[in-house]
Amino acid sequence: MSNSASANAQVNGRAPLVRLYLVRGVLAVVWAVAFAHAHDTLGAAAITLLVAYPLLDAVSSAVDYLSVPDGPEQRVTAFNGALSTLVALGLGVAGSTHKVSAVLGVFGAWAVVSGAAQVAVGIRRRGPELGRQWPMLVAGGLSTVAGVFYDIQAAGHEPSLDVLSVYATGGGVFFIVQAGLLVWKVRRGVAQLRV
């Protein structure tokens, strides 16, 4: 294979993942801004946003599932998509109770499990083709820790949904950084192939 063909294969092979990470990251930040303005009461807007966030993750997992070969990584991605769909339903039910503690508890449990799944996918994707995946690994680890914190806060006296906007912003930024790193890695690899 010529250097030019190899460079094109690298760019084309990573483009769907770069787009997915970038769109997922930007939408998470937009969600965080919208939720910061809507969550003071658990009204229709806040509940809709609460349901939409895990659905965004479920759709992202479905797109990711279709782009990876059959194997353990694909199974973890499918699990995460199914989990996120169930969590969307759970957040809808919890939100309808108008209890902040119920919403925070469901979100916290999801953050723990989905964070662990994100770490598993990040570990599987480490390597020369997709890089070290450190933003995904850090984001997954922080999600797991934050989820434990949210569940503890949900059981306390004054649970607050303020933390969810921070959570989504952080996750979005990590997705955007990972997309940027993949683009940088492709450009660096292409430049080396042309030398």
Side-chain angles (χ1 to χ4, degrees), residues 79-131:
F79 167 77
N80 196 46
L83 173 67
S84 296
T85 303
L86 291 174
V87 167
L89 294 170
L91 284 171
V93 171
S96 69
T97 68
H98 300 286
K99 293 183 180 176
V100 170
S101 60
V103 169
L104 198 57
V106 171
F107 201 99
W110 175 51
V112 168
V113 178
S114 68
Q118 189 173 358
V119 168
V121 169
I123 289 170
R124 293 251 175 226
R125 287 187 174 159
R126 288 175 60 94
E129 187 175 320
L130 293 175

Side-chain angles (χ1 to χ4, degrees), residues 166-177:
V166 175
Y167 175 89
T169 300
V173 167
F174 278 114
F175 272 107
I176 292 167
V177 168

Side-chain angles (χ1 to χ4, degrees), residues 23-64:
V23 170
R24 174 72 175 83
V26 169
L27 288 176
V29 172
V30 169
W31 182 92
V33 170
F35 191 72
H37 295 317
H39 79 280
D40 289 336
T41 62
L42 275 173
I47 293 169
T48 300
L49 286 167
L50 284 166
V51 170
Y53 192 71
L55 287 179
L56 168 63
D57 195 61
V59 169
S60 296
S61 293
V63 170
D64 199 7

